[in-house]
Amino acid sequence: MTSDSLDLFGKRIDPAVVRSVPVMVPLPVAGPYSYAVPEGMAVMPGSVVQVPVGPRKVIGIVWDEAGDAVDPKKLRPIEHVFDCPPVAEEMRRFIAWVSAYTLTPPGLVARMAVRAPAALEPEPMIEGLTLTGTVPERMTPARKRVLELAQDGAGWTRLGLARAAGVSASVVETMMKQGVFDTVFLPPPPAFGTPDPDYARPALSPDQDAAAEDLRVAVAADSFNVTLIDGVTGSGKTEVYFEAVAETLARGKQVLILLPEIALTASFLDRFESRFGTRPGEWHSDLAPRMREKVWRQTAEGSIRVVAGARSALFLPFEELGLIVVDEEHDTAYKQEDRVFYNARDMAVVRARIGGFPAVLASATPSVESQVNALAGRYRRIHLPGRFAEAALPSLKTVDLRRDPPKRGGFLSPTLLSEIDRTVGRGEQALLFLNRRGYAPLTLCRVCGHRFQCPNCSSWLVEHRFRGRLMCHHCGHGEPVPEACPECGTLDHLVACGPGVERIAEEVEQHFPEKRTIILSSDMAGGVKRLRLELEAVANGEADIIIGTQLVAKGHNFPLMTLVGVVDADIGLANGDPRAAERTFQLLAQVTGRAGRTGLASKGLIQTYQPAHPVMQAIVSGDAEAFYDREITEREKSGLPPFGRLAAVIISADNRSDAEAHARGLRAASPAGRSISVLGPAEAPLALVRGRYRFRLLVHGSRADDLQTFLREMLENGPRQRGSVRVQLDIDPQSFL
DNA sequence: ACACTTGGCGAA
DNA sequence: TCGCCAAGTGTG
């Protein structure tokens, strides 16, 4: 090969005449790479292709604009164009926007849109049968039945026909051999039925009907708008936004319903089915690979009209999306905190804006930022005033733990215990809520005071008595509970401090030994499947007293539940998180909302040391508006999100001392009023989880060269992308509208 | 992201 | 001097 010709496809070609296209490859690089298009290959922007990168092959998307220019001699050919609909222009713009906003290399965002590799080729055709007109050599009753069924036409498979006729497969086989049937190839049947907007129109209350009409208007406008719909749990938000879904379907467009942790909300699929006559397409992380492919493909081809999915469903290749609903919009599960950092609720709004269609955010306890957007008029607001039909709101009271303390060694106050007694005595269910897994959140040695700490991340190890282990809830580290203190060697002097759900269960069993007690905790053995079964068992009344963590706050319906006791409402109020009050309010409102859904009179008792705290006041009085107003004012005062400017930077480097050195330089360069914190790789995620920082920076030690310049520039001009440095905005409600 | 190369350090 | 592993580099 001479230096100025290119050995492409075995022919020498003048590089000047090789056609090349930009291809977005799934690598953390600044832009698309250029590839040669072999003669006879047809590609267009959006085509999904296989290209070589170094020694491996990757899936890429043909892009619109070229990246950095490259020496034509380096061009390598596209190896394959997948036989699937090209990634739509809307989706490509969305990918580019998300990349810029989250400061993630575009290739890594693009990768999320083509993550069902086998779906890129058409689904294999199914072998079907048609009648040839030939009659069987001997007519038997079985053969006759088969023939009769086959008359009515299309789409029989060998097995399906045999089964429908009630004969064995060999009957059909023999008939085929005799030439009665021809085999034809049929397209595979759609994995999901077509939802019918008129299947079961619900009976709505006047309030709900007005809200539904309001949403229908928003959908009918056929343009970008955002509606925030709120109302207490049980007020019928789902029924109302289903009407927006129906309207969109009637207009021939597809719908995406985002749900947090869909794996656990089977009841949602049932509700959808009873309204629309069929289940929606499902999309979440533990979907079987085969189903994943089907859903991806059929969403792209338009045979799936509605997808209910977790946050990653935002990147599905809808053919003609016309509405996104974000249910439980306040839920933190919408934040993806690895690789590409994004909040699916915000990106859903962006997706809608790019597509020019409406978005609906629904929650009984909206996030403060959505509240702000509604108040500022950027979002339309629909409020559902009360519960529907006979369902009464629980009457809520605080229990002042200072005046009404539990017995020594216990965590349940006499007031709460006697209320549990009364409730289960009537054959109803009581839920005790405590957002702490395990037995005790801290273990120490009574002799020397040694506290068990995680070797990786400096948080306390949580005792799990069932498993006999000490676990780190932050990084997953676990070790057996030792018999002797590792510090002073004393035997049997370890003491558990504070309650976890296991310990509350122990206390409950002491008081109510004859009652059926169950713990519902996300880390119980048996995983998601078992948990789903247990939730169902509880709903069917197979337990009297339920002790649950956070997950019981999430949308499950327990018809017999008439008492909710919050064991310690103050958890999480004093952890330095600027959103602590908001989170606590949401959690308490959601968990107390579990009671009384089917009309039985119900109660909520909230144990707290701070009955005068604004959160407790708001919960007990039901005055959410006042609480939000206060929260917003507080944030304005403190300059915290969503109103603040850059508050802090976390540097997480492989090498802590490198990070410190960078930070020293940065502090010198930083404009006044902006603080910078440096945390090592282990501490940074913990601080982020606690929400103390608005900005994060993950710096990979080996690529830190540009860090100094990058950060200085960012502090002065706002975020930009550079190298492999990644920055995430926590919340900034104005910047994406 | 991932495969490959480089360079620093401990054992031979 | 070798061999190993962490750090660094390039991919079209």
Side-chain angles (χ1 to χ4, degrees), chain A residues 210-221 223-230 240 244 358-362 370-383 737:
Chain A
E213 184 51 35
D214 207 343
L215 276 186
R216 265 183 237 116
V217 170
V219 169
S223 60
F224 171 65
N225 60 73
V226 186
T227 307
L228 173 63
I229 171 165
D230 78 313
V240 169
V360 173
L361 311 181
S370 292
Q371 194 81 7
V372 168
N373 280 327
L375 286 172
R378 285 186 290 269
Y379 294 172
R380 297 154 28 96
R381 173 62 162 276
I382 296 179
H383 179 73
L737 283 175

Short mmCIF file of all heavy atoms in Angstrom, two decimals, chain A residues 210-221 223-230 240 244 358-362 370-383 737:
data_model
loop_
_atom_site.label_atom_id
_atom_site.label_comp_id
_atom_site.label_asym_id
_atom_site.label_seq_id
_atom_site.Cartn_x
_atom_site.Cartn_y
_atom_site.Cartn_z
N ALA A 210 -63.20 16.95 35.98
CA ALA A 210 -62.69 18.27 35.58
C ALA A 210 -61.19 18.19 35.30
O ALA A 210 -60.70 18.73 34.30
CB ALA A 210 -62.97 19.30 36.67
N ALA A 211 -60.47 17.47 36.17
CA ALA A 211 -59.03 17.33 35.99
C ALA A 211 -58.72 16.57 34.71
O ALA A 211 -57.83 16.95 33.93
CB ALA A 211 -58.43 16.60 37.19
N ALA A 212 -59.49 15.50 34.46
CA ALA A 212 -59.28 14.70 33.26
C ALA A 212 -59.52 15.55 32.02
O ALA A 212 -58.75 15.48 31.04
CB ALA A 212 -60.19 13.48 33.27
N GLU A 213 -60.56 16.36 32.07
CA GLU A 213 -60.88 17.22 30.93
C GLU A 213 -59.74 18.21 30.68
O GLU A 213 -59.31 18.44 29.54
CB GLU A 213 -62.20 17.96 31.19
CG GLU A 213 -62.69 18.80 30.03
CD GLU A 213 -62.73 18.05 28.70
OE1 GLU A 213 -63.04 16.83 28.72
OE2 GLU A 213 -62.43 18.65 27.65
N ASP A 214 -59.21 18.75 31.78
CA ASP A 214 -58.10 19.67 31.71
C ASP A 214 -56.89 19.03 31.02
O ASP A 214 -56.22 19.62 30.16
CB ASP A 214 -57.73 20.09 33.14
CG ASP A 214 -57.09 21.45 33.19
OD1 ASP A 214 -56.63 21.93 32.15
OD2 ASP A 214 -57.03 22.03 34.30
N LEU A 215 -56.63 17.75 31.39
CA LEU A 215 -55.52 17.03 30.77
C LEU A 215 -55.79 16.73 29.31
O LEU A 215 -54.89 16.81 28.47
CB LEU A 215 -55.26 15.71 31.51
CG LEU A 215 -54.39 15.77 32.75
CD1 LEU A 215 -54.12 14.36 33.26
CD2 LEU A 215 -53.07 16.46 32.43
N ARG A 216 -57.04 16.40 29.00
CA ARG A 216 -57.39 16.15 27.60
C ARG A 216 -57.12 17.38 26.75
O ARG A 216 -56.62 17.28 25.64
CB ARG A 216 -58.86 15.73 27.49
CG ARG A 216 -59.05 14.21 27.47
CD ARG A 216 -60.50 13.83 27.29
NE ARG A 216 -60.93 13.00 28.40
CZ ARG A 216 -61.86 13.33 29.27
NH1 ARG A 216 -62.50 14.49 29.17
NH2 ARG A 216 -62.16 12.51 30.24
N VAL A 217 -57.42 18.53 27.32
CA VAL A 217 -57.15 19.79 26.60
C VAL A 217 -55.65 19.93 26.35
O VAL A 217 -55.22 20.26 25.25
CB VAL A 217 -57.69 21.00 27.40
CG1 VAL A 217 -57.20 22.30 26.81
CG2 VAL A 217 -59.21 20.95 27.45
N ALA A 218 -54.85 19.59 27.39
CA ALA A 218 -53.40 19.70 27.24
C ALA A 218 -52.90 18.79 26.13
O ALA A 218 -52.04 19.16 25.33
CB ALA A 218 -52.71 19.35 28.56
N VAL A 219 -53.47 17.58 26.07
CA VAL A 219 -53.05 16.62 25.05
C VAL A 219 -53.52 17.11 23.67
O VAL A 219 -52.78 17.05 22.68
CB VAL A 219 -53.60 15.22 25.35
CG1 VAL A 219 -53.41 14.29 24.15
CG2 VAL A 219 -52.92 14.64 26.58
N ALA A 220 -54.77 17.61 23.65
CA ALA A 220 -55.33 18.02 22.37
C ALA A 220 -54.58 19.21 21.78
O ALA A 220 -54.57 19.40 20.57
CB ALA A 220 -56.82 18.37 22.54
N ALA A 221 -53.91 19.98 22.63
CA ALA A 221 -53.15 21.12 22.13
C ALA A 221 -52.04 20.65 21.20
O ALA A 221 -51.53 21.41 20.38
CB ALA A 221 -52.57 21.92 23.30
N SER A 223 -48.97 20.09 21.52
CA SER A 223 -47.72 20.83 21.54
C SER A 223 -47.10 20.63 22.92
O SER A 223 -47.73 20.07 23.81
CB SER A 223 -48.00 22.32 21.31
OG SER A 223 -48.84 22.80 22.33
N PHE A 224 -45.88 21.11 23.09
CA PHE A 224 -45.20 20.92 24.36
C PHE A 224 -45.85 21.71 25.48
O PHE A 224 -46.07 22.92 25.37
CB PHE A 224 -43.73 21.35 24.24
CG PHE A 224 -43.02 21.39 25.55
CD1 PHE A 224 -42.82 20.23 26.29
CD2 PHE A 224 -42.54 22.59 26.07
CE1 PHE A 224 -42.17 20.26 27.51
CE2 PHE A 224 -41.87 22.63 27.29
CZ PHE A 224 -41.69 21.46 28.01
N ASN A 225 -46.21 21.01 26.55
CA ASN A 225 -46.59 21.67 27.79
C ASN A 225 -46.40 20.67 28.91
O ASN A 225 -46.37 19.47 28.68
CB ASN A 225 -48.04 22.18 27.72
CG ASN A 225 -49.04 21.07 27.48
OD1 ASN A 225 -49.32 20.25 28.37
ND2 ASN A 225 -49.60 21.00 26.27
N VAL A 226 -46.23 21.16 30.12
CA VAL A 226 -46.03 20.27 31.26
C VAL A 226 -47.14 20.53 32.27
O VAL A 226 -47.42 21.68 32.59
CB VAL A 226 -44.66 20.50 31.94
CG1 VAL A 226 -44.42 19.46 33.02
CG2 VAL A 226 -43.54 20.49 30.91
N THR A 227 -47.76 19.45 32.74
CA THR A 227 -48.79 19.59 33.77
C THR A 227 -48.35 18.84 35.02
O THR A 227 -47.95 17.68 34.93
CB THR A 227 -50.13 19.00 33.29
OG1 THR A 227 -50.46 19.59 32.03
CG2 THR A 227 -51.24 19.30 34.30
N LEU A 228 -48.38 19.51 36.14
CA LEU A 228 -48.13 18.85 37.41
C LEU A 228 -49.47 18.54 38.05
O LEU A 228 -50.28 19.43 38.27
CB LEU A 228 -47.31 19.77 38.33
CG LEU A 228 -47.10 19.27 39.77
CD1 LEU A 228 -46.29 17.97 39.80
CD2 LEU A 228 -46.40 20.34 40.61
N ILE A 229 -49.72 17.25 38.29
CA ILE A 229 -50.99 16.89 38.90
C ILE A 229 -50.72 16.32 40.29
O ILE A 229 -49.92 15.40 40.44
CB ILE A 229 -51.79 15.93 37.99
CG1 ILE A 229 -53.00 15.37 38.72
CG2 ILE A 229 -50.96 14.80 37.44
CD1 ILE A 229 -53.98 14.72 37.78
N ASP A 230 -51.33 16.92 41.28
CA ASP A 230 -51.10 16.45 42.65
C ASP A 230 -52.41 16.30 43.40
O ASP A 230 -53.44 16.84 43.01
CB ASP A 230 -50.15 17.40 43.39
CG ASP A 230 -50.86 18.65 43.87
OD1 ASP A 230 -51.60 19.25 43.06
OD2 ASP A 230 -50.69 19.02 45.03
N VAL A 240 -57.09 9.69 36.50
CA VAL A 240 -57.15 10.94 35.75
C VAL A 240 -56.12 10.96 34.62
O VAL A 240 -56.45 11.26 33.48
CB VAL A 240 -56.97 12.15 36.70
CG1 VAL A 240 -56.77 13.43 35.92
CG2 VAL A 240 -58.19 12.28 37.61
N ALA A 244 -55.69 11.09 29.93
CA ALA A 244 -54.75 11.72 29.00
C ALA A 244 -54.13 10.68 28.10
O ALA A 244 -53.92 10.90 26.90
CB ALA A 244 -53.67 12.48 29.77
N PRO A 358 -46.98 16.89 25.05
CA PRO A 358 -47.11 17.19 26.47
C PRO A 358 -46.44 16.18 27.40
O PRO A 358 -46.23 15.02 27.03
CB PRO A 358 -48.63 17.15 26.72
CG PRO A 358 -49.27 16.82 25.43
CD PRO A 358 -48.24 16.43 24.45
N ALA A 359 -46.12 16.65 28.58
CA ALA A 359 -45.66 15.78 29.65
C ALA A 359 -46.56 16.00 30.87
O ALA A 359 -47.04 17.10 31.07
CB ALA A 359 -44.21 16.10 30.02
N VAL A 360 -46.77 14.92 31.62
CA VAL A 360 -47.58 15.02 32.83
C VAL A 360 -46.76 14.49 33.99
O VAL A 360 -46.22 13.38 33.91
CB VAL A 360 -48.89 14.20 32.70
CG1 VAL A 360 -49.64 14.18 34.03
CG2 VAL A 360 -49.77 14.78 31.60
N LEU A 361 -46.60 15.29 35.03
CA LEU A 361 -45.91 14.83 36.24
C LEU A 361 -46.96 14.62 37.31
O LEU A 361 -47.79 15.50 37.55
CB LEU A 361 -44.89 15.88 36.72
CG LEU A 361 -43.91 16.45 35.68
CD1 LEU A 361 -42.97 17.44 36.35
CD2 LEU A 361 -43.11 15.34 35.01
N ALA A 362 -46.94 13.45 37.95
CA ALA A 362 -47.95 13.17 38.96
C ALA A 362 -47.29 12.78 40.27
O ALA A 362 -46.28 12.07 40.28
CB ALA A 362 -48.86 12.03 38.50
N SER A 370 -40.55 20.93 41.24
CA SER A 370 -41.74 20.93 40.40
C SER A 370 -42.77 21.92 40.93
O SER A 370 -43.47 22.58 40.16
CB SER A 370 -42.34 19.52 40.32
OG SER A 370 -41.47 18.67 39.62
N GLN A 371 -42.83 21.99 42.24
CA GLN A 371 -43.71 22.95 42.89
C GLN A 371 -43.32 24.37 42.44
O GLN A 371 -44.18 25.18 42.08
CB GLN A 371 -43.54 22.81 44.41
CG GLN A 371 -44.59 23.49 45.22
CD GLN A 371 -45.86 22.65 45.33
OE1 GLN A 371 -45.88 21.50 44.89
NE2 GLN A 371 -46.90 23.24 45.86
N VAL A 372 -42.03 24.64 42.46
CA VAL A 372 -41.54 25.96 42.04
C VAL A 372 -41.91 26.21 40.58
O VAL A 372 -42.38 27.30 40.22
CB VAL A 372 -40.00 26.06 42.23
CG1 VAL A 372 -39.45 27.29 41.53
CG2 VAL A 372 -39.66 26.08 43.71
N ASN A 373 -41.72 25.22 39.74
CA ASN A 373 -42.05 25.39 38.32
C ASN A 373 -43.53 25.65 38.12
O ASN A 373 -43.91 26.42 37.23
CB ASN A 373 -41.61 24.16 37.52
CG ASN A 373 -40.13 24.20 37.21
OD1 ASN A 373 -39.56 25.27 37.02
ND2 ASN A 373 -39.49 23.03 37.17
N ALA A 374 -44.37 25.00 38.94
CA ALA A 374 -45.81 25.22 38.82
C ALA A 374 -46.15 26.63 39.29
O ALA A 374 -46.89 27.35 38.62
CB ALA A 374 -46.57 24.18 39.63
N LEU A 375 -45.57 27.04 40.42
CA LEU A 375 -45.84 28.38 40.95
C LEU A 375 -45.39 29.46 39.98
O LEU A 375 -46.03 30.49 39.83
CB LEU A 375 -45.13 28.57 42.30
CG LEU A 375 -45.76 27.82 43.48
CD1 LEU A 375 -44.86 27.92 44.71
CD2 LEU A 375 -47.15 28.38 43.78
N ALA A 376 -44.27 29.19 39.31
CA ALA A 376 -43.74 30.19 38.39
C ALA A 376 -44.47 30.18 37.05
O ALA A 376 -44.16 30.97 36.17
CB ALA A 376 -42.25 29.93 38.17
N GLY A 377 -45.42 29.24 36.90
CA GLY A 377 -46.19 29.21 35.66
C GLY A 377 -45.52 28.46 34.53
O GLY A 377 -46.03 28.42 33.41
N ARG A 378 -44.37 27.85 34.80
CA ARG A 378 -43.74 27.07 33.74
C ARG A 378 -44.48 25.75 33.55
O ARG A 378 -44.47 25.19 32.46
CB ARG A 378 -42.27 26.81 34.08
CG ARG A 378 -41.37 28.03 33.90
CD ARG A 378 -39.91 27.67 34.10
NE ARG A 378 -39.62 27.38 35.49
CZ ARG A 378 -39.21 28.29 36.38
NH1 ARG A 378 -39.03 29.54 36.00
NH2 ARG A 378 -38.98 27.95 37.62
N TYR A 379 -45.08 25.24 34.61
CA TYR A 379 -45.92 24.05 34.51
C TYR A 379 -47.36 24.43 34.78
O TYR A 379 -47.63 25.30 35.61
CB TYR A 379 -45.52 23.00 35.56
CG TYR A 379 -44.15 22.38 35.41
CD1 TYR A 379 -43.66 21.55 36.41
CD2 TYR A 379 -43.36 22.61 34.29
CE1 TYR A 379 -42.41 20.96 36.31
CE2 TYR A 379 -42.10 22.03 34.18
CZ TYR A 379 -41.63 21.21 35.20
OH TYR A 379 -40.40 20.63 35.10
N ARG A 380 -48.28 23.79 34.08
CA ARG A 380 -49.68 23.90 34.45
C ARG A 380 -49.90 23.11 35.73
O ARG A 380 -49.15 22.18 36.01
CB ARG A 380 -50.57 23.32 33.35
CG ARG A 380 -50.49 24.04 32.00
CD ARG A 380 -50.84 23.11 30.84
NE ARG A 380 -51.75 22.06 31.21
CZ ARG A 380 -53.07 22.10 31.05
NH1 ARG A 380 -53.63 23.13 30.49
NH2 ARG A 380 -53.82 21.08 31.43
N ARG A 381 -50.94 23.44 36.47
CA ARG A 381 -51.12 22.77 37.75
C ARG A 381 -52.54 22.24 37.85
O ARG A 381 -53.50 22.95 37.60
CB ARG A 381 -50.88 23.80 38.86
CG ARG A 381 -51.20 23.31 40.27
CD ARG A 381 -50.29 22.16 40.57
NE ARG A 381 -50.22 21.89 41.99
CZ ARG A 381 -49.41 22.51 42.84
NH1 ARG A 381 -48.63 23.48 42.42
NH2 ARG A 381 -49.39 22.17 44.10
N ILE A 382 -52.67 20.96 38.17
CA ILE A 382 -53.98 20.40 38.45
C ILE A 382 -53.95 19.81 39.86
O ILE A 382 -53.08 19.00 40.17
CB ILE A 382 -54.36 19.29 37.45
CG1 ILE A 382 -54.48 19.87 36.04
CG2 ILE A 382 -55.69 18.64 37.86
CD1 ILE A 382 -54.82 18.84 34.99
N HIS A 383 -54.87 20.24 40.67
CA HIS A 383 -54.91 19.76 42.05
C HIS A 383 -56.18 18.94 42.26
O HIS A 383 -57.26 19.40 41.94
CB HIS A 383 -54.88 20.96 43.00
CG HIS A 383 -54.93 20.56 44.44
ND1 HIS A 383 -53.85 19.98 45.08
CD2 HIS A 383 -55.91 20.62 45.35
CE1 HIS A 383 -54.18 19.71 46.32
NE2 HIS A 383 -55.43 20.08 46.52
N LEU A 737 -35.70 24.31 30.52
CA LEU A 737 -36.92 24.75 29.85
C LEU A 737 -36.61 25.79 28.78
O LEU A 737 -35.59 26.41 28.82
CB LEU A 737 -37.89 25.31 30.86
CG LEU A 737 -38.62 24.23 31.67
CD1 LEU A 737 -39.47 24.88 32.73
CD2 LEU A 737 -39.47 23.38 30.77
#
